[in-house]
Amino acid sequence: MTGLISFTIPVGLTGSLWLVLSLLQRVPGRVALGQVGLHQLQRVLIILGSGHPWQGLMVIGLAFSSVGILFDTFTFYRYQHLSHHQ
């Protein structure tokens, strides 16, 4: 469960940012902001995904998921370890 949540939240936020920047490109007076922001986001995703933005998005999701699982495992271990000493 932790891994799924840790994967979904950053992927969803990144996807939402992509959508907002895409919509900003259609708002008069905000076209440049939307274009620059979307270009920068795509560049980051392309770098992380070795040339493929969708792979970059998956790399972000998997990295956050791995960290979430590690934190959950550490918390479980600490809880087990501390409850035996009391």
Side-chain angles (χ1 to χ4, degrees):
M1 188 67 164
T2 301
L4 182 62
I5 292 170
S6 298
F7 178 86
T8 304
I9 290 175
V11 169
L13 289 175
T14 306
S16 297
L17 180 61
W18 189 311
L19 179 65
V20 167
L21 291 171
S22 295
L23 292 175
L24 272 179
Q25 289 181 334
R26 294 163 187 14
V27 176
R30 300 287 181 220
V31 173
L33 177 65
Q35 287 176 343
V36 170
L38 191 58
H39 178 71
Q40 293 298 321
L41 179 60
Q42 286 176 337
R43 285 184 60 195
V44 168
L45 293 176
I46 286 170
I47 289 169
L48 292 175
S50 300
H52 304 282
W54 289 108
Q55 284 182 356
L57 190 59
M58 292 300 111
V59 167
I60 289 172
L62 291 173
F64 273 78
S65 180
S66 299
V67 170
I69 290 169
L70 287 172
F71 277 131
D72 193 41
T73 303
F74 175 74
T75 303
F76 178 74
Y77 168 76
R78 290 292 296 165
Y79 175 76
Q80 294 295 324
H81 184 57
L82 290 175
S83 67
H84 287 267
H85 283 43
Q86 292 179 353

